């Protein structure tokens, strides 16, 4: 009986290890269709998040090839392309951006890890400054509390960097309703005639982003909940919160009630929405289980009823 039990336990453990290894080395592509009358031209956008200097294939070639096959008009990153660990470096992130920048227009923001290396120079030295210089040479636009206009598409793109105090473990700092406007005071004022897209790394403050006026918010940070279970969804966030409300997928904001609800994969179900990527890498909790990396693809259409 003990032998049978030992074999069963070993089999279960081996299966879990297999799932972790598999999901750490693969990614899926999730496509969302979004229509709005303010969008003036069809656009395909690839969204990459939370790579954390992981590499899919030599030089991140497998990931770059997958993006190239999609043939996007733009590539957006919602931050944390590398991890803020001294000496870890950003080689694989830079390899990916170098490859993709040959054929694509890339727009990024800082996640909490890039931001940490930018402000804590006593520990990280010139890591962020060097990285920023290198991606700028590649033609990558890093938006720090600013905006970029795409009038041909009817799109205004905003990049938000919030303070490090909003990335605490175990508890969340309250964000005042005026905070987003203050941080984006040097960006182009919101124009309701444009489709306003906000890149914001941390999804926990989505209501504040929606109140500010974002039509579509793109986020990461939560890694899909790291371990995913049927019905329960993501089990733990990088902020060490169990069963986080925001794990991945589509969330809609109700202007009348001020409440957020998860939408079952249909972005048209709500006018103001957030698409939360499961990300591509790991850091503090170095596993992904029943939770492969994710490349998000947005198909934007100029017709429809504002969904």
């Amino acid at each position: 009986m003990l032998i049978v039990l030992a074999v069963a336990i070993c089999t279960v453990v081996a299966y879990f290890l297999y799932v972790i290894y598999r999901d750490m080395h693969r990614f899926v592509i999730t496509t969302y269709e979004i229509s709005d009358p303010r969008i003036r031209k069809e656009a395909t956008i690839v969204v990459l998040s939370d790579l954390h200097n992981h590499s899919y294939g030599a030089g991140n070639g497998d990931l770059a090839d997958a993006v190239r096959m999609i043939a996007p008009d733009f590539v957006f990153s919602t931050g944390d392309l590398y991890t803020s660990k001294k000496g870890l470096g950003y080689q694989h992130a830079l390899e990916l951006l170098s490859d993709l920048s040959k054929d694509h227009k890339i727009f990024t923001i800082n996640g909490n890890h890039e931001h940490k290396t930018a402000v804590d120079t006593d520990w990280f030295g010139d890591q962020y400054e060097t990285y920023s210089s290198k991606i700028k040479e590649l033609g990558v636009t890093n938006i720090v509390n600013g905006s970029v206009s795409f009038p041909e598409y009817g799109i205004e793109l905003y990049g938000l960097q919030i303070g490090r105090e909003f990335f605490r473990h175990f508890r969340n700092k309250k964000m005042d309703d005026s905070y987003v406007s203050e941080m984006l005071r040097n960006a182009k004022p919101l124009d309701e005639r444009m489709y306003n897209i906000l890149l914001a790394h941390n999804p926990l403050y989505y209501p504040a982003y929606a109140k500010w006026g974002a039509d579509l918010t793109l986020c990461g940070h939560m890694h899909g909940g790291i371990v995913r279970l049927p019905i329960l969804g993501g089990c733990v966030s990088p902020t060490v919160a169990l069963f986080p409300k925001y794990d991945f997928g589509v969330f809609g904001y109700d202007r009348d009630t001020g409440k957020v609800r998860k939408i079952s994969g249909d972005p048209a179900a709500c006018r103001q929405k957030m698409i939360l990527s499961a990300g591509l890498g790991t850091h503090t909790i170095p596993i992904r289980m029943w939770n492969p990396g994710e490349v998000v693809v947005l198909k934007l259409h100029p017709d429809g009823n504002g969904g």
Side-chain angles (χ1 to χ4, degrees):
M1 186 65 181
L2 289 177
I3 294 176
V4 173
L5 181 60
V7 170
I9 292 173
C10 289
T11 301
V12 171
V13 170
Y15 173 68
F16 285 167
L17 291 175
Y18 161 74
V19 173
I20 292 171
Y21 179 84
R22 178 196 64 182
D23 287 355
M24 289 278 288
H25 294 82
R26 72 184 181 110
F27 57 87
V28 297
I29 297 173
T30 306
T31 301
Y32 297 102
E33 306 279 344
I34 297 175
S35 299
D36 193 282
R38 293 167 292 177
I39 298 171
R40 299 169 188 163
K41 182 180 177 181
E42 300 275 345
T44 298
I45 299 169
V46 163
V47 184
L48 306 174
S49 188
D50 298 276
L51 182 67
H52 287 288
N53 208 39
H54 187 69
S55 187
Y56 289 94
N60 253 315
D62 293 347
L63 181 55
D65 287 345
V67 173
R68 196 170 289 110
M69 288 291 291
I70 296 166
D73 298 286
F74 307 103
V75 175
F76 295 166
S77 167
T78 57
D80 281 3
L81 290 181
Y82 66 81
T83 302
S84 57
K85 289 185 178 180
K86 190 174 183 179
L88 181 65
Y90 44 72
Q91 175 186 353
H92 298 314
L94 193 62
E95 288 171 342
L96 177 64
L97 294 176
S98 178
D99 196 343
L100 292 179
S101 65
K102 298 172 185 175
D103 308 298
H104 302 93
K105 299 175 183 178
I106 305 174
F107 299 86
T108 69
I109 62 168
N110 291 334
N112 55 301
H113 284 263
E114 288 99 343
H115 190 195
K116 186 176 181 179
T117 61
V119 299
D120 194 356
T121 54
D122 287 343
W123 180 256
F124 296 104
D126 64 352
Q127 183 181 47
Y128 176 78
E129 182 180 349
T130 304
Y131 172 78
S132 296
S133 177
K134 287 180 179 294
I135 67 171
K136 186 176 181 179
E137 290 174 3
L138 294 173
V140 175
T141 301
N142 190 44
I143 311 171
V144 181
N145 293 328
S147 60
V148 178
S149 298
F150 306 105
E152 180 182 1
Y153 293 88
I155 293 171
E156 190 73 25
L157 178 66
Y158 294 84
L160 177 66
Q161 177 178 278
I162 61 177
R164 291 178 61 194
E165 65 271 21
F166 294 103
F167 290 92
R168 295 172 179 166
H169 287 182
F170 306 110
R171 63 191 180 93
N172 301 326
K173 177 180 170 61
K174 185 180 183 298
M175 181 178 284
D176 294 335
D177 289 346
S178 62
Y179 183 82
V180 177
S181 295
E182 291 172 1
M183 298 305 292
L184 293 173
R185 60 185 177 276
N186 294 323
K188 184 177 179 181
L190 280 171
D191 185 344
E192 293 187 355
R193 296 170 299 178
M194 301 284 279
Y195 190 71
N196 297 296
I197 300 177
L198 176 69
L199 304 181
H201 185 66
N202 192 340
L204 295 177
Y205 299 97
Y206 172 55
Y209 309 153
K211 289 177 185 178
W212 168 74
D215 297 302
L216 174 64
T217 302
L218 303 175
C219 293
H221 187 54
M222 304 305 281
H223 298 193
I226 299 176
V227 174
R228 298 193 57 79
L229 296 175
I231 301 176
L232 295 176
C235 294
V236 60
S237 76
T239 58
V240 200
L242 297 178
F243 304 106
K245 174 181 179 179
Y246 300 112
D247 49 5
F248 91 114
V250 186
F251 297 80
Y253 179 76
D254 189 315
R255 296 183 185 182
D256 296 327
T257 65
K259 293 183 177 180
V260 176
R261 63 186 176 90
K262 191 166 187 177
I263 302 169
S264 299
D266 180 14
C270 194
R271 175 164 178 168
Q272 283 184 282
K273 57 191 71 71
M274 171 177 70
I275 294 178
L276 172 54
S277 170
L280 288 157
T282 67
H283 62 93
T284 304
I285 305 176
I287 64 171
R288 299 185 73 99
M289 194 169 184
W290 296 300
N291 178 32
E294 182 182 42
V295 173
V296 170
V297 179
L298 307 177
K299 298 281 189 178
L300 303 187
H301 308 288
D303 53 354
N305 297 311

